[in-house]
Amino acid sequence: MKGDSVWNIITRHLAEESTAEEKQALDEWTKKDNLNQGTLDRLREMWEYNPVRQSGYPKIYEAFKTRLNHYEKRQTKNPFLYYAVRVAAVLFLLIGTAALVNTMVPFYNNREITWQEITVPKGSRTSILLPDSSKVWISNNSKIRYPDKFASGTRELELTGEAYFEVVHNKKKPFIVHAGSDRIKVLGTKFAVSAYPDDSVFKAELLTGKIQVDIHTGKGDDSYKSFIVKPSYSLVYNKTSGDITSAVIPDGFLDYWKNGIYTFSNESLESLAQKIDRIYNVQVVFENDYIKTKRFSGNISIDDNIFTFMEAVKRTSLVPLEYRYENNTIFINLKSD
Amino acid sequence: MQQKPKIEILVGQISQFSDQKAFKQFFDLYANRLFEFAFSFLKSKQLAEEAVADVFFKVWLNRETLPSIENIKAYLFKATYNTTLNYLDEEKRRKAIGLDDIKVDLGVDLICPETELMTKELKGRIDQAIESLPPRCKLIYKLAKVEQMKYKEIASLLDISVKTIDHQLSIAIKKIGEEIREYLSRDGNNSNFLVLMQLFIPLK
């Protein structure tokens, strides 16, 4: 037995971890004495006795189902709704074109221009190439209308929702994004616009180059306040209060615009809440201030949804969290047990 | 062990066809065991249920990658262990990782039978011996015996060395074995008892 206690060898034997040598030693040991044999027999019987356990925790499956339902509700695009949106978009296109072409007549030399309309449903994103080779990444729940060619002296298009633009430089043809009654004029640059009609804020974020944001003041059709945005700054116009503010764009948002992924490291949940708002268009309310300070690292992807993200936060959080979803708002609280 | 081919079929059904029935069967195979394991650390029924539900939710979301997981059982236990630790606050977490303040419910009735070999008295002695094991030892014993995990699997699950597993487990077996031996020898079966004990005491 070479200094090893026999118990150790028996243990390895039961756990099927023993070597051939040990097996032999154990064999010799049991043959020596009935007491040894009896002890081993009983130990083996005990070890091998493992009755099949019945499933007795229906609550676990319920809890799993709840998560799944929650998730699927967000994930599945209602096919009817999706179809309805498309039909509505086409109708809008038919009715809208006449009016629009009328108002835009000065920009176009002929009436042969047809308008393209791209609608991106919730939970997805796409990118398109404009006729001048500028590239647009269209976010979640957004729509873009653009002509099949930029015939006149400007490049103009309409945006509802959010998009990121990489505009090909062309001094002679300014590029203009119409977002509701506001607009952004550029020559050639990289910038993002968030202009969801339901949102209280209109936002333009500039990466490089120069943009001019014209905020419609509401006094007359042609009265605008113009702002120049500096690179890596954003301009936020609060439609309710009328406030206009400027702030630095957080790092990591280039990836978000292009790939729909926002990468963060050691970021407080409070700060992440703003990103969640930005990416999923969902407000976050903290019901406990302590949680705000908890820090996380990881990715937020537009292709996931807020529940996947919240589940990940919940799972990795050192403090047990719980959250609930009501009216497009996530409420986070400490877990009450 | 005999479940092995069945699990592969289930995994195939789940990963390829998103078969919810198969997933439920898969769930039933592991949920209880994972719950008991999670409960050892969380000591709250509700939290343990939540933790296990989290694990299965994650598995479902990543069901396509299931076939690439070499050891499903080890993976599920590890995922449960990690999820469980995340549920704990820092102090409790430290204790749980040290495994020195956990409550392991072995479900003794399930662990030792009463048979021809095992009289009621012997079973009682064994039950008591198992119950009195230190928590870490108990947990390792349970994983090795009930979950039939290999030393290596337990070591990587709990982030401790194979040597520790070997040592802890033999503490348990020694304790139980000595009870059995004492019980048997008391019945007059012990003519060679003293000699033998000397033989098997470690030499150094």
PDB file of all heavy atoms in Angstrom, chain A residues 12 16-17 29 33 36 45-46 53-54 57 67 315 317-318 320, chain B residues 20 32-33 36 54 86-88 115 145 150-151 166 181 196 200:
ATOM      1  N   ARG A  12     -10.767   5.795  -4.195  1.00  0.00           N
ATOM      2  CA  ARG A  12     -10.483   5.881  -5.636  1.00  0.00           C
ATOM      3  C   ARG A  12     -11.141   4.752  -6.391  1.00  0.00           C
ATOM      4  O   ARG A  12     -11.596   4.929  -7.513  1.00  0.00           O
ATOM      5  CB  ARG A  12      -8.975   5.850  -5.876  1.00  0.00           C
ATOM      6  CG  ARG A  12      -8.334   7.106  -5.415  1.00  0.00           C
ATOM      7  CD  ARG A  12      -6.991   7.297  -6.085  1.00  0.00           C
ATOM      8  NE  ARG A  12      -6.233   8.258  -5.299  1.00  0.00           N
ATOM      9  CZ  ARG A  12      -5.000   8.033  -4.853  1.00  0.00           C
ATOM     10  NH1 ARG A  12      -4.374   6.916  -5.145  1.00  0.00           N
ATOM     11  NH2 ARG A  12      -4.400   8.951  -4.140  1.00  0.00           N
ATOM     12  N   GLU A  16     -14.024   5.205  -9.278  1.00  0.00           N
ATOM     13  CA  GLU A  16     -13.449   4.756 -10.544  1.00  0.00           C
ATOM     14  C   GLU A  16     -12.264   5.609 -10.960  1.00  0.00           C
ATOM     15  O   GLU A  16     -12.160   6.056 -12.105  1.00  0.00           O
ATOM     16  CB  GLU A  16     -14.518   4.745 -11.650  1.00  0.00           C
ATOM     17  CG  GLU A  16     -15.573   3.672 -11.418  1.00  0.00           C
ATOM     18  CD  GLU A  16     -16.719   3.760 -12.418  1.00  0.00           C
ATOM     19  OE1 GLU A  16     -16.460   4.198 -13.550  1.00  0.00           O
ATOM     20  OE2 GLU A  16     -17.842   3.392 -12.064  1.00  0.00           O
ATOM     21  N   GLU A  17     -11.429   5.882 -10.000  1.00  0.00           N
ATOM     22  CA  GLU A  17     -10.245   6.683 -10.302  1.00  0.00           C
ATOM     23  C   GLU A  17      -8.969   5.901 -10.013  1.00  0.00           C
ATOM     24  O   GLU A  17      -7.875   6.456 -10.044  1.00  0.00           O
ATOM     25  CB  GLU A  17     -10.233   7.972  -9.448  1.00  0.00           C
ATOM     26  CG  GLU A  17     -11.409   8.882  -9.641  1.00  0.00           C
ATOM     27  CD  GLU A  17     -11.192   9.883 -10.785  1.00  0.00           C
ATOM     28  OE1 GLU A  17     -10.097   9.893 -11.378  1.00  0.00           O
ATOM     29  OE2 GLU A  17     -12.140  10.644 -11.064  1.00  0.00           O
ATOM     30  N   TRP A  29      -6.147  -6.964  -0.336  1.00  0.00           N
ATOM     31  CA  TRP A  29      -6.672  -6.555   0.972  1.00  0.00           C
ATOM     32  C   TRP A  29      -7.984  -7.260   1.291  1.00  0.00           C
ATOM     33  O   TRP A  29      -8.196  -7.768   2.383  1.00  0.00           O
ATOM     34  CB  TRP A  29      -6.878  -5.037   0.981  1.00  0.00           C
ATOM     35  CG  TRP A  29      -7.374  -4.486   2.283  1.00  0.00           C
ATOM     36  CD1 TRP A  29      -6.670  -4.353   3.431  1.00  0.00           C
ATOM     37  CD2 TRP A  29      -8.693  -3.983   2.556  1.00  0.00           C
ATOM     38  NE1 TRP A  29      -7.449  -3.804   4.411  1.00  0.00           N
ATOM     39  CE2 TRP A  29      -8.694  -3.559   3.908  1.00  0.00           C
ATOM     40  CE3 TRP A  29      -9.857  -3.837   1.808  1.00  0.00           C
ATOM     41  CZ2 TRP A  29      -9.821  -3.009   4.523  1.00  0.00           C
ATOM     42  CZ3 TRP A  29     -10.976  -3.280   2.411  1.00  0.00           C
ATOM     43  CH2 TRP A  29     -10.963  -2.877   3.749  1.00  0.00           C
ATOM     44  N   ASP A  33      -9.263 -10.998   4.489  1.00  0.00           N
ATOM     45  CA  ASP A  33     -10.119 -11.019   5.665  1.00  0.00           C
ATOM     46  C   ASP A  33     -11.575 -10.802   5.297  1.00  0.00           C
ATOM     47  O   ASP A  33     -11.876  -9.986   4.436  1.00  0.00           O
ATOM     48  CB  ASP A  33      -9.646  -9.883   6.588  1.00  0.00           C
ATOM     49  CG  ASP A  33     -10.299  -9.972   7.931  1.00  0.00           C
ATOM     50  OD1 ASP A  33     -11.521  -9.746   7.985  1.00  0.00           O
ATOM     51  OD2 ASP A  33      -9.583 -10.285   8.897  1.00  0.00           O
ATOM     52  N   ASN A  36     -12.691  -7.226   5.928  1.00  0.00           N
ATOM     53  CA  ASN A  36     -12.359  -6.310   4.830  1.00  0.00           C
ATOM     54  C   ASN A  36     -13.375  -6.421   3.709  1.00  0.00           C
ATOM     55  O   ASN A  36     -13.863  -5.414   3.189  1.00  0.00           O
ATOM     56  CB  ASN A  36     -10.976  -6.640   4.277  1.00  0.00           C
ATOM     57  CG  ASN A  36      -9.880  -6.325   5.279  1.00  0.00           C
ATOM     58  OD1 ASN A  36     -10.147  -5.681   6.301  1.00  0.00           O
ATOM     59  ND2 ASN A  36      -8.680  -6.797   4.999  1.00  0.00           N
ATOM     60  N   GLU A  45     -22.097  -0.998  -1.912  1.00  0.00           N
ATOM     61  CA  GLU A  45     -23.549  -0.968  -2.033  1.00  0.00           C
ATOM     62  C   GLU A  45     -24.081   0.447  -1.782  1.00  0.00           C
ATOM     63  O   GLU A  45     -24.943   0.955  -2.491  1.00  0.00           O
ATOM     64  CB  GLU A  45     -24.218  -1.941  -1.060  1.00  0.00           C
ATOM     65  CG  GLU A  45     -25.712  -2.052  -1.351  1.00  0.00           C
ATOM     66  CD  GLU A  45     -26.472  -2.875  -0.322  1.00  0.00           C
ATOM     67  OE1 GLU A  45     -25.864  -3.287   0.675  1.00  0.00           O
ATOM     68  OE2 GLU A  45     -27.673  -3.083  -0.536  1.00  0.00           O
ATOM     69  N   MET A  46     -23.497   1.027  -0.764  1.00  0.00           N
ATOM     70  CA  MET A  46     -23.921   2.384  -0.428  1.00  0.00           C
ATOM     71  C   MET A  46     -23.581   3.351  -1.559  1.00  0.00           C
ATOM     72  O   MET A  46     -24.379   4.188  -1.952  1.00  0.00           O
ATOM     73  CB  MET A  46     -23.208   2.797   0.854  1.00  0.00           C
ATOM     74  CG  MET A  46     -23.633   4.096   1.403  1.00  0.00           C
ATOM     75  SD  MET A  46     -22.383   4.705   2.537  1.00  0.00           S
ATOM     76  CE  MET A  46     -21.062   5.053   1.425  1.00  0.00           C
ATOM     77  N   ARG A  53     -34.115  10.440  -9.157  1.00  0.00           N
ATOM     78  CA  ARG A  53     -34.973  11.433  -8.516  1.00  0.00           C
ATOM     79  C   ARG A  53     -36.019  11.966  -9.481  1.00  0.00           C
ATOM     80  O   ARG A  53     -35.745  12.187 -10.651  1.00  0.00           O
ATOM     81  CB  ARG A  53     -34.123  12.586  -7.983  1.00  0.00           C
ATOM     82  CG  ARG A  53     -33.553  12.245  -6.628  1.00  0.00           C
ATOM     83  CD  ARG A  53     -32.400  13.135  -6.319  1.00  0.00           C
ATOM     84  NE  ARG A  53     -31.355  12.999  -7.348  1.00  0.00           N
ATOM     85  CZ  ARG A  53     -30.294  13.761  -7.362  1.00  0.00           C
ATOM     86  NH1 ARG A  53     -30.163  14.704  -6.490  1.00  0.00           N
ATOM     87  NH2 ARG A  53     -29.371  13.582  -8.278  1.00  0.00           N
ATOM     88  N   GLN A  54     -37.172  12.143  -8.956  1.00  0.00           N
ATOM     89  CA  GLN A  54     -38.265  12.671  -9.780  1.00  0.00           C
ATOM     90  C   GLN A  54     -38.160  14.191  -9.836  1.00  0.00           C
ATOM     91  O   GLN A  54     -37.629  14.824  -8.939  1.00  0.00           O
ATOM     92  CB  GLN A  54     -39.618  12.276  -9.181  1.00  0.00           C
ATOM     93  CG  GLN A  54     -39.820  10.773  -9.080  1.00  0.00           C
ATOM     94  CD  GLN A  54     -39.712  10.085 -10.430  1.00  0.00           C
ATOM     95  OE1 GLN A  54     -40.321  10.514 -11.395  1.00  0.00           O
ATOM     96  NE2 GLN A  54     -38.912   9.028 -10.498  1.00  0.00           N
ATOM     97  N   TYR A  57     -39.591  20.206  -8.834  1.00  0.00           N
ATOM     98  CA  TYR A  57     -39.528  21.649  -8.692  1.00  0.00           C
ATOM     99  C   TYR A  57     -40.193  22.352  -9.875  1.00  0.00           C
ATOM    100  O   TYR A  57     -39.515  22.927 -10.714  1.00  0.00           O
ATOM    101  CB  TYR A  57     -38.082  22.110  -8.548  1.00  0.00           C
ATOM    102  CG  TYR A  57     -37.395  21.517  -7.345  1.00  0.00           C
ATOM    103  CD1 TYR A  57     -36.512  20.463  -7.476  1.00  0.00           C
ATOM    104  CD2 TYR A  57     -37.664  22.019  -6.077  1.00  0.00           C
ATOM    105  CE1 TYR A  57     -35.889  19.910  -6.360  1.00  0.00           C
ATOM    106  CE2 TYR A  57     -37.044  21.475  -4.959  1.00  0.00           C
ATOM    107  CZ  TYR A  57     -36.167  20.425  -5.108  1.00  0.00           C
ATOM    108  OH  TYR A  57     -35.546  19.889  -4.023  1.00  0.00           O
ATOM    109  N   ARG A  67     -39.137  33.647 -18.321  1.00  0.00           N
ATOM    110  CA  ARG A  67     -38.043  34.322 -19.019  1.00  0.00           C
ATOM    111  C   ARG A  67     -38.203  34.187 -20.529  1.00  0.00           C
ATOM    112  O   ARG A  67     -38.015  35.137 -21.284  1.00  0.00           O
ATOM    113  CB  ARG A  67     -36.705  33.704 -18.599  1.00  0.00           C
ATOM    114  CG  ARG A  67     -36.223  34.171 -17.245  1.00  0.00           C
ATOM    115  CD  ARG A  67     -35.181  33.193 -16.706  1.00  0.00           C
ATOM    116  NE  ARG A  67     -34.595  33.618 -15.455  1.00  0.00           N
ATOM    117  CZ  ARG A  67     -35.237  33.646 -14.303  1.00  0.00           C
ATOM    118  NH1 ARG A  67     -36.520  33.309 -14.249  1.00  0.00           N
ATOM    119  NH2 ARG A  67     -34.620  34.012 -13.200  1.00  0.00           N
ATOM    120  N   ARG A 315     -27.537  38.332 -14.158  1.00  0.00           N
ATOM    121  CA  ARG A 315     -26.717  37.160 -13.888  1.00  0.00           C
ATOM    122  C   ARG A 315     -25.336  37.525 -13.387  1.00  0.00           C
ATOM    123  O   ARG A 315     -24.766  36.839 -12.549  1.00  0.00           O
ATOM    124  CB  ARG A 315     -26.549  36.333 -15.161  1.00  0.00           C
ATOM    125  CG  ARG A 315     -27.586  35.264 -15.333  1.00  0.00           C
ATOM    126  CD  ARG A 315     -27.058  34.203 -16.251  1.00  0.00           C
ATOM    127  NE  ARG A 315     -26.695  34.764 -17.552  1.00  0.00           N
ATOM    128  CZ  ARG A 315     -27.537  34.936 -18.530  1.00  0.00           C
ATOM    129  NH1 ARG A 315     -28.780  34.581 -18.408  1.00  0.00           N
ATOM    130  NH2 ARG A 315     -27.152  35.464 -19.675  1.00  0.00           N
ATOM    131  N   SER A 317     -24.395  40.371 -11.994  1.00  0.00           N
ATOM    132  CA  SER A 317     -24.345  41.331 -10.902  1.00  0.00           C
ATOM    133  C   SER A 317     -23.982  40.654  -9.585  1.00  0.00           C
ATOM    134  O   SER A 317     -24.453  39.566  -9.283  1.00  0.00           O
ATOM    135  CB  SER A 317     -25.700  42.015 -10.767  1.00  0.00           C
ATOM    136  OG  SER A 317     -25.711  42.815  -9.609  1.00  0.00           O
ATOM    137  N   LEU A 318     -23.125  41.315  -8.833  1.00  0.00           N
ATOM    138  CA  LEU A 318     -22.753  40.756  -7.533  1.00  0.00           C
ATOM    139  C   LEU A 318     -23.869  40.947  -6.520  1.00  0.00           C
ATOM    140  O   LEU A 318     -24.016  40.175  -5.591  1.00  0.00           O
ATOM    141  CB  LEU A 318     -21.482  41.433  -7.015  1.00  0.00           C
ATOM    142  CG  LEU A 318     -20.229  41.188  -7.851  1.00  0.00           C
ATOM    143  CD1 LEU A 318     -19.026  41.792  -7.171  1.00  0.00           C
ATOM    144  CD2 LEU A 318     -20.004  39.703  -8.059  1.00  0.00           C
ATOM    145  N   PRO A 320     -27.796  40.809  -5.883  1.00  0.00           N
ATOM    146  CA  PRO A 320     -28.960  40.234  -6.558  1.00  0.00           C
ATOM    147  C   PRO A 320     -29.925  41.352  -6.980  1.00  0.00           C
ATOM    148  O   PRO A 320     -30.338  42.165  -6.161  1.00  0.00           O
ATOM    149  CB  PRO A 320     -29.581  39.333  -5.492  1.00  0.00           C
ATOM    150  CG  PRO A 320     -28.510  39.104  -4.488  1.00  0.00           C
ATOM    151  CD  PRO A 320     -27.651  40.329  -4.510  1.00  0.00           C
TER     152      PRO A 320
ATOM    153  N   GLN B  20     -39.144  21.882 -28.126  1.00  0.00           N
ATOM    154  CA  GLN B  20     -39.408  22.270 -26.736  1.00  0.00           C
ATOM    155  C   GLN B  20     -39.692  21.069 -25.834  1.00  0.00           C
ATOM    156  O   GLN B  20     -39.392  21.095 -24.650  1.00  0.00           O
ATOM    157  CB  GLN B  20     -40.573  23.256 -26.668  1.00  0.00           C
ATOM    158  CG  GLN B  20     -40.260  24.559 -27.355  1.00  0.00           C
ATOM    159  CD  GLN B  20     -40.825  25.761 -26.608  1.00  0.00           C
ATOM    160  OE1 GLN B  20     -41.178  25.675 -25.438  1.00  0.00           O
ATOM    161  NE2 GLN B  20     -40.926  26.890 -27.297  1.00  0.00           N
ATOM    162  N   ASN B  32     -33.454  19.291 -11.053  1.00  0.00           N
ATOM    163  CA  ASN B  32     -33.438  19.008  -9.617  1.00  0.00           C
ATOM    164  C   ASN B  32     -32.041  18.981  -9.049  1.00  0.00           C
ATOM    165  O   ASN B  32     -31.775  19.509  -7.969  1.00  0.00           O
ATOM    166  CB  ASN B  32     -34.058  17.632  -9.350  1.00  0.00           C
ATOM    167  CG  ASN B  32     -35.557  17.721  -9.315  1.00  0.00           C
ATOM    168  OD1 ASN B  32     -36.112  18.795  -9.536  1.00  0.00           O
ATOM    169  ND2 ASN B  32     -36.192  16.611  -9.052  1.00  0.00           N
ATOM    170  N   ARG B  33     -31.183  18.321  -9.789  1.00  0.00           N
ATOM    171  CA  ARG B  33     -29.816  18.159  -9.290  1.00  0.00           C
ATOM    172  C   ARG B  33     -29.129  19.517  -9.233  1.00  0.00           C
ATOM    173  O   ARG B  33     -28.396  19.818  -8.288  1.00  0.00           O
ATOM    174  CB  ARG B  33     -29.058  17.205 -10.208  1.00  0.00           C
ATOM    175  CG  ARG B  33     -29.700  15.821 -10.200  1.00  0.00           C
ATOM    176  CD  ARG B  33     -29.563  15.114 -11.513  1.00  0.00           C
ATOM    177  NE  ARG B  33     -28.174  14.785 -11.778  1.00  0.00           N
ATOM    178  CZ  ARG B  33     -27.781  14.167 -12.897  1.00  0.00           C
ATOM    179  NH1 ARG B  33     -28.678  13.828 -13.810  1.00  0.00           N
ATOM    180  NH2 ARG B  33     -26.520  13.900 -13.078  1.00  0.00           N
ATOM    181  N   GLU B  36     -30.480  21.468  -6.241  1.00  0.00           N
ATOM    182  CA  GLU B  36     -29.862  21.066  -4.965  1.00  0.00           C
ATOM    183  C   GLU B  36     -28.463  21.635  -4.827  1.00  0.00           C
ATOM    184  O   GLU B  36     -28.054  22.090  -3.754  1.00  0.00           O
ATOM    185  CB  GLU B  36     -29.815  19.544  -4.856  1.00  0.00           C
ATOM    186  CG  GLU B  36     -31.176  18.949  -4.550  1.00  0.00           C
ATOM    187  CD  GLU B  36     -31.193  17.446  -4.733  1.00  0.00           C
ATOM    188  OE1 GLU B  36     -30.116  16.823  -4.689  1.00  0.00           O
ATOM    189  OE2 GLU B  36     -32.295  16.904  -4.944  1.00  0.00           O
ATOM    190  N   ASP B  54     -32.298  30.618 -14.769  1.00  0.00           N
ATOM    191  CA  ASP B  54     -31.358  31.436 -15.551  1.00  0.00           C
ATOM    192  C   ASP B  54     -30.460  30.559 -16.416  1.00  0.00           C
ATOM    193  O   ASP B  54     -30.227  30.856 -17.583  1.00  0.00           O
ATOM    194  CB  ASP B  54     -30.454  32.259 -14.615  1.00  0.00           C
ATOM    195  CG  ASP B  54     -31.128  33.539 -14.141  1.00  0.00           C
ATOM    196  OD1 ASP B  54     -32.205  33.863 -14.673  1.00  0.00           O
ATOM    197  OD2 ASP B  54     -30.579  34.208 -13.256  1.00  0.00           O
ATOM    198  N   ASN B  86     -22.855  34.579  -8.551  1.00  0.00           N
ATOM    199  CA  ASN B  86     -23.266  35.941  -8.902  1.00  0.00           C
ATOM    200  C   ASN B  86     -24.454  36.424  -8.079  1.00  0.00           C
ATOM    201  O   ASN B  86     -24.684  37.618  -7.966  1.00  0.00           O
ATOM    202  CB  ASN B  86     -23.609  36.031 -10.385  1.00  0.00           C
ATOM    203  CG  ASN B  86     -22.378  36.010 -11.241  1.00  0.00           C
ATOM    204  OD1 ASN B  86     -21.307  36.396 -10.802  1.00  0.00           O
ATOM    205  ND2 ASN B  86     -22.511  35.541 -12.469  1.00  0.00           N
ATOM    206  N   TYR B  87     -25.197  35.495  -7.565  1.00  0.00           N
ATOM    207  CA  TYR B  87     -26.346  35.863  -6.758  1.00  0.00           C
ATOM    208  C   TYR B  87     -25.950  36.284  -5.341  1.00  0.00           C
ATOM    209  O   TYR B  87     -26.721  36.891  -4.638  1.00  0.00           O
ATOM    210  CB  TYR B  87     -27.313  34.676  -6.642  1.00  0.00           C
ATOM    211  CG  TYR B  87     -28.353  34.590  -7.734  1.00  0.00           C
ATOM    212  CD1 TYR B  87     -27.977  34.435  -9.049  1.00  0.00           C
ATOM    213  CD2 TYR B  87     -29.707  34.659  -7.436  1.00  0.00           C
ATOM    214  CE1 TYR B  87     -28.910  34.346 -10.056  1.00  0.00           C
ATOM    215  CE2 TYR B  87     -30.657  34.555  -8.440  1.00  0.00           C
ATOM    216  CZ  TYR B  87     -30.259  34.400  -9.738  1.00  0.00           C
ATOM    217  OH  TYR B  87     -31.183  34.301 -10.719  1.00  0.00           O
ATOM    218  N   LEU B  88     -24.754  35.898  -4.972  1.00  0.00           N
ATOM    219  CA  LEU B  88     -24.345  36.146  -3.589  1.00  0.00           C
ATOM    220  C   LEU B  88     -23.632  37.474  -3.451  1.00  0.00           C
ATOM    221  O   LEU B  88     -22.966  37.924  -4.377  1.00  0.00           O
ATOM    222  CB  LEU B  88     -23.391  35.033  -3.125  1.00  0.00           C
ATOM    223  CG  LEU B  88     -23.969  33.620  -3.093  1.00  0.00           C
ATOM    224  CD1 LEU B  88     -22.849  32.619  -2.840  1.00  0.00           C
ATOM    225  CD2 LEU B  88     -25.023  33.492  -2.006  1.00  0.00           C
ATOM    226  N   THR B 115     -30.879  -2.567   3.379  1.00  0.00           N
ATOM    227  CA  THR B 115     -31.015  -3.829   2.639  1.00  0.00           C
ATOM    228  C   THR B 115     -30.584  -4.975   3.539  1.00  0.00           C
ATOM    229  O   THR B 115     -30.382  -4.788   4.728  1.00  0.00           O
ATOM    230  CB  THR B 115     -30.105  -3.826   1.403  1.00  0.00           C
ATOM    231  OG1 THR B 115     -28.760  -3.673   1.858  1.00  0.00           O
ATOM    232  CG2 THR B 115     -30.459  -2.711   0.451  1.00  0.00           C
ATOM    233  N   LYS B 145     -20.379  10.934  -5.684  1.00  0.00           N
ATOM    234  CA  LYS B 145     -21.258   9.771  -5.573  1.00  0.00           C
ATOM    235  C   LYS B 145     -22.539   9.951  -6.372  1.00  0.00           C
ATOM    236  O   LYS B 145     -22.831   9.183  -7.278  1.00  0.00           O
ATOM    237  CB  LYS B 145     -21.611   9.529  -4.097  1.00  0.00           C
ATOM    238  CG  LYS B 145     -22.666   8.456  -3.913  1.00  0.00           C
ATOM    239  CD  LYS B 145     -22.935   8.218  -2.449  1.00  0.00           C
ATOM    240  CE  LYS B 145     -24.307   7.644  -2.169  1.00  0.00           C
ATOM    241  NZ  LYS B 145     -24.712   6.517  -2.961  1.00  0.00           N
ATOM    242  N   LYS B 150     -16.184  12.783 -12.177  1.00  0.00           N
ATOM    243  CA  LYS B 150     -14.791  12.399 -12.030  1.00  0.00           C
ATOM    244  C   LYS B 150     -14.065  13.460 -11.200  1.00  0.00           C
ATOM    245  O   LYS B 150     -14.524  14.605 -11.102  1.00  0.00           O
ATOM    246  CB  LYS B 150     -14.131  12.281 -13.419  1.00  0.00           C
ATOM    247  CG  LYS B 150     -14.848  11.344 -14.371  1.00  0.00           C
ATOM    248  CD  LYS B 150     -15.049   9.946 -13.827  1.00  0.00           C
ATOM    249  CE  LYS B 150     -13.751   9.149 -13.785  1.00  0.00           C
ATOM    250  NZ  LYS B 150     -14.012   7.813 -13.135  1.00  0.00           N
ATOM    251  N   TYR B 151     -12.936  13.055 -10.628  1.00  0.00           N
ATOM    252  CA  TYR B 151     -12.165  14.006  -9.818  1.00  0.00           C
ATOM    253  C   TYR B 151     -11.891  15.295 -10.590  1.00  0.00           C
ATOM    254  O   TYR B 151     -12.000  16.383 -10.081  1.00  0.00           O
ATOM    255  CB  TYR B 151     -10.829  13.389  -9.400  1.00  0.00           C
ATOM    256  CG  TYR B 151     -10.932  12.358  -8.288  1.00  0.00           C
ATOM    257  CD1 TYR B 151     -12.173  11.938  -7.817  1.00  0.00           C
ATOM    258  CD2 TYR B 151      -9.790  11.817  -7.714  1.00  0.00           C
ATOM    259  CE1 TYR B 151     -12.251  10.990  -6.788  1.00  0.00           C
ATOM    260  CE2 TYR B 151      -9.861  10.875  -6.694  1.00  0.00           C
ATOM    261  CZ  TYR B 151     -11.095  10.464  -6.245  1.00  0.00           C
ATOM    262  OH  TYR B 151     -11.161   9.542  -5.245  1.00  0.00           O
ATOM    263  N   ASP B 166      -9.303  14.252  -3.921  1.00  0.00           N
ATOM    264  CA  ASP B 166      -8.861  12.924  -3.511  1.00  0.00           C
ATOM    265  C   ASP B 166      -8.829  12.844  -1.986  1.00  0.00           C
ATOM    266  O   ASP B 166      -9.369  11.912  -1.379  1.00  0.00           O
ATOM    267  CB  ASP B 166      -7.455  12.699  -4.096  1.00  0.00           C
ATOM    268  CG  ASP B 166      -7.016  11.246  -3.978  1.00  0.00           C
ATOM    269  OD1 ASP B 166      -7.914  10.378  -3.921  1.00  0.00           O
ATOM    270  OD2 ASP B 166      -5.804  10.997  -3.946  1.00  0.00           O
ATOM    271  N   ARG B 181     -16.820  -0.942   9.568  1.00  0.00           N
ATOM    272  CA  ARG B 181     -15.852  -1.905  10.090  1.00  0.00           C
ATOM    273  C   ARG B 181     -16.078  -2.179  11.575  1.00  0.00           C
ATOM    274  O   ARG B 181     -16.071  -3.321  12.019  1.00  0.00           O
ATOM    275  CB  ARG B 181     -14.454  -1.333   9.866  1.00  0.00           C
ATOM    276  CG  ARG B 181     -13.435  -2.379   9.681  1.00  0.00           C
ATOM    277  CD  ARG B 181     -12.073  -1.765   9.576  1.00  0.00           C
ATOM    278  NE  ARG B 181     -11.136  -2.804   9.921  1.00  0.00           N
ATOM    279  CZ  ARG B 181     -10.648  -3.667   9.034  1.00  0.00           C
ATOM    280  NH1 ARG B 181     -10.975  -3.546   7.764  1.00  0.00           N
ATOM    281  NH2 ARG B 181      -9.839  -4.626   9.396  1.00  0.00           N
ATOM    282  N   LEU B 196      -4.741  -6.533  11.374  1.00  0.00           N
ATOM    283  CA  LEU B 196      -5.064  -5.868  10.107  1.00  0.00           C
ATOM    284  C   LEU B 196      -4.986  -4.365  10.217  1.00  0.00           C
ATOM    285  O   LEU B 196      -4.482  -3.695   9.335  1.00  0.00           O
ATOM    286  CB  LEU B 196      -6.468  -6.276   9.661  1.00  0.00           C
ATOM    287  CG  LEU B 196      -6.436  -7.588   8.921  1.00  0.00           C
ATOM    288  CD1 LEU B 196      -7.813  -8.222   8.899  1.00  0.00           C
ATOM    289  CD2 LEU B 196      -5.887  -7.402   7.520  1.00  0.00           C
ATOM    290  N   PHE B 200      -2.664  -1.621   7.887  1.00  0.00           N
ATOM    291  CA  PHE B 200      -3.143  -0.584   6.978  1.00  0.00           C
ATOM    292  C   PHE B 200      -3.041   0.826   7.531  1.00  0.00           C
ATOM    293  O   PHE B 200      -3.568   1.753   6.960  1.00  0.00           O
ATOM    294  CB  PHE B 200      -4.568  -0.907   6.525  1.00  0.00           C
ATOM    295  CG  PHE B 200      -4.585  -2.197   5.793  1.00  0.00           C
ATOM    296  CD1 PHE B 200      -5.188  -3.317   6.314  1.00  0.00           C
ATOM    297  CD2 PHE B 200      -3.907  -2.288   4.579  1.00  0.00           C
ATOM    298  CE1 PHE B 200      -5.153  -4.505   5.631  1.00  0.00           C
ATOM    299  CE2 PHE B 200      -3.864  -3.486   3.887  1.00  0.00           C
ATOM    300  CZ  PHE B 200      -4.496  -4.606   4.415  1.00  0.00           C
TER     301      PHE B 200
END
